[in-house]
Amino acid sequence: MVRAVLGADPVASCMVSARVELAGLDPWRLGGELWAADYRGTRGGRLPGLCFSGPNLIPLRGNAAALRSFADRALRKQRVCSSLVGPAEQVLGLWDELAGEWGPAREVREDQPLMAMEGRPAVDPDPLVRPVRPHELERYLPAAIAMFIEEVGVDPRAGDGGVSYRARVAELIAGGRAFARFEDGEVVFKAEIGALSRSVGQIQGVWVRPDRRGHGLGTSGTAAVVSHLVNGLGRTASLYVNSFNSPALAAYRRIGFSQVGRYATVLF
């Protein structure tokens, strides 16, 4: 039943599907827990709710009763997730249940178009964008940190001096999922494939060095990552973006993305 929920909307569930396909349902290997709402009495045994609880809290499906049950479970212990993210209706409904105890949030992003595409990019991919090599970690890392601060609003090095974030970036590089354009040894464009399921790859961390913005590097660079996903890996390319980021939305539409859903994120 869990896999049926994940398969019903492979783009929206990519972050969780990628974990389940790799690790199964065992919490230790999964890096978190999958919470299912009580399905007894539902038509066809269909799960009325499913939520992943780990580094992020990701509700994928949930009616009002299911979201209340997820909130009750989350409130039994101290909050450990850094964000609440996923389909907007579920995220905002769950946040209504949690805000009294977990609030105020650092930021609530209520409208994040979820976009996807399956065909070739409509713009030419940048031929200089390529996978980052393991020995280039130290040159890539400053750009990754700058992107994170700009996008999330906090320094990923806080707390442990950047050890865990550096390890995560190194893992992406080792898996061939970090991409960049280097000029004179410095990153001027970067993006990553954050979650990769059997059918979908979710692009994240798109960033252009400030002095190179407005020249199309973000569009052609993202097109290169899309081409790798669609043509190279046979996946649907997806991403989500803040609705107020008009330049990014316009660029993604030029590439060939169309909106397939709506995400929301609550940042702590």
Side-chain angles (χ1 to χ4, degrees):
M1 284 185 289
V2 167
R3 287 177 171 81
V5 173
L6 299 177
D9 192 344
V11 174
S13 65
C14 178
M15 287 186 284
V16 178
S17 294
R19 287 177 173 269
V20 171
E21 290 169 6
L22 182 65
L25 301 179
D26 177 73
W28 186 82
R29 296 184 64 229
L30 192 61
E33 299 176 338
L34 272 175
W35 299 342
D38 188 354
Y39 62 90
R40 290 172 294 180
T42 60
R43 182 176 299 177
R46 182 176 180 268
L47 281 179
L50 185 68
C51 181
F52 174 76
S53 175
N56 303 300
L57 192 60
I58 309 173
L60 292 176
R61 174 186 289 177
N63 56 24
L67 294 177
R68 280 194 296 273
S69 72
F70 295 152
D72 289 343
R73 185 157 186 170
L75 292 172
R76 290 175 196 163
K77 54 187 178 181
Q78 185 176 3
R79 178 183 63 79
V80 295
C81 61
S82 61
S83 71
L84 175 57
V85 61
E89 183 178 358
Q90 281 69 47
V91 166
L92 299 176
L94 182 54
W95 180 236
D96 284 343
E97 300 287 341
L98 293 170
E101 295 290 332
W102 281 8
R106 183 165 55 83
E107 185 178 356
V108 178
R109 300 176 178 178
E110 297 185 353
D111 187 7
Q112 297 177 304
L114 177 65
M115 311 184 82
M117 61 178 291
E118 298 179 348
R120 294 178 180 273
V123 301
D124 292 334
D126 185 343
L128 298 182
V129 170
R130 58 168 175 80
V132 180
R133 303 176 183 116
H135 73 271
E136 294 172 318
L137 171 61
E138 299 305 330
R139 283 194 285 164
Y140 181 80
L141 192 58
I145 292 170
M147 176 281 304
F148 194 97
I149 294 172
E150 187 173 327
E151 173 63 23
V152 182
V154 297
D155 192 326
R157 296 167 294 185
D160 65 357
V163 172
S164 59
Y165 186 69
R166 186 181 190 279
R168 172 58 177 158
V169 172
E171 179 184 16
L172 289 169
I173 292 174
R177 289 160 53 185
F179 297 80
R181 172 174 172 150
F182 290 89
E183 292 182 359
D184 299 323
E186 292 190 5
V187 174
V188 295
F189 165 85
K190 67 162 288 294
E192 297 148 1
I193 302 170
L196 185 66
S197 73
R198 293 192 184 106
S199 59
V200 180
Q202 190 175 84
I203 299 171
Q204 66 177 29
V206 177
W207 179 87
V208 176
R209 199 173 71 188
D211 65 321
R212 297 301 309 278
R213 293 175 186 174
H215 301 285
L217 287 180
T219 303
S220 60
T222 303
V225 182
V226 169
S227 182
H228 177 80
L229 272 170
V230 173
N231 304 325
L233 299 179
R235 304 308 209 271
T236 295
S238 76
L239 50 78
Y240 61 100
V241 59
N242 294 313
S243 61
F244 56 77
N245 192 343
S246 298
L249 276 168
Y252 297 146
R253 288 177 178 134
R254 282 198 300 274
I255 293 168
F257 281 97
S258 60
Q259 185 170 350
V260 297
R262 185 167 72 100
Y263 259 29
T265 303
V266 179
L267 295 169
F268 301 116

